[in-house]
Amino acid sequence: MKLGLFLAFMLPMVFYAQDSTAVNNDYPNTFSSGSANVAKFDNSARRFNDWAISVGGGAAFLAKGDLTSFYDKKINWGWNAYVSLDKQITHTFGASLQYAMGESNQRGQLPGAEGVKAGVADAYTKYQQVSILGDINFSNLLRRVDNKSPYRWALHGYAGGGLQAYETLLIDKDISNYNPRTFPLAVNQKFDFSSFFVQTGVGLKYKASKVIDIELRTMYIISGDEEFDGGGDLRDTGSPRINYNLINDSYSDDMLTVNLGLSFKLGKHISHLAWHDPLQEAYSRVNALENSTNEFIVCEKGDSDNDGVCDDWDRQLGTPSGARVDGAGVALDMDLDGTIDLYDKCVTVPGPIENNGCPLNSAVN
């Protein structure tokens, strides 16, 4: 049954995908390999590099959760590092396979008397992440065609998702009053589909050279996980006294990273596709043609009969002066009587040549 459905779906596609247009190989055209303006599209035909390797590092902060890196008007710094393989698909869009790792440092305090007794708790989260990122080059997307400024700065937008693994640890000053089996609070999350996260952010790139780009990038990471901040198990564990997930109503612990990175552009070409602006390139070519001092030669072999059709493709060289011709340089004969319109006294009525193209029973002026 499944095979029949598959064949019923695929056979029409295969049939209509066949090229039924006959190709005349005697004359170059866009379907044949003989066209002077058509080149096979492969790596040797590309004009730009489109691969890069990026590395970077910086600070990491737990921005939203029960315990955060911004506590009591102080910042608890963490760190983050990443490496990625980048593929530029068009001049405005690319994709990256990224690996990141780091550690965040956050603090929090339980409410009420138990919170006062436990004091301010310190939590740590070590993480590893594998993700796929989409990259939109806003500077290329929104750049004006008449912008002639040097193109060395670019604003990029990122969005994507992936899987993460992490280990958390939370310690407070009331540790001795808890059962050692339940405290310090710790969570160990392996790479799993349950640890899926999404992230989005922006980056400002500077083209330092044809090989290296420098980027300042900030990313907002939505973990979708209540244990990522180190607050322990889910809030419905039945042990509210040591459940730091009860500090606020947030169910997703989100992180913020700020990184400074380098991109090493790979390939043999001079320019990278991410820095290519096709609209500006077209504008420059038109401007160059308009300001060119070289005379544009239409007919390389000239027009020997001055009929307006170059000798390169004139099918009737030596057309009499003053005769109207078609696009192939052939003198017009509207009534097809063998006398061209220049000498035909009866242009719309056929007649013999000896009677100047008029019927024998007609008087010729």
Side-chain angles (χ1 to χ4, degrees), residues 24 36 43 58 87-88 112 123 142 147 163 202 237 275 294 328 330 339-341:
N24 179 12
N43 281 332
K87 167 66 174 178
Q88 196 68 30
L142 304 176
N147 190 337
L163 303 179
V202 294
T237 59
W275 294 99
N294 298 327
V330 178
T339 302
I340 64 174
D341 292 350

Side-chain angles (χ1 to χ4, degrees), residues 198-219:
V198 296
Q199 58 181 332
T200 182
V202 294
L204 183 62
K205 277 191 176 181
Y206 174 71
K207 183 180 178 182
S209 70
K210 68 177 184 179
V211 178
I212 298 176
D213 294 341
I214 303 174
E215 181 182 25
L216 179 63
R217 181 190 298 185
T218 179
M219 301 293 296

Side-chain angles (χ1 to χ4, degrees), residues 327-346:
V330 178
L332 295 178
D333 179 11
M334 185 176 296
D335 53 13
L336 303 176
D337 59 1
T339 302
I340 64 174
D341 292 350
L342 178 66
Y343 303 131
D344 200 329
K345 299 299 183 180
C346 302

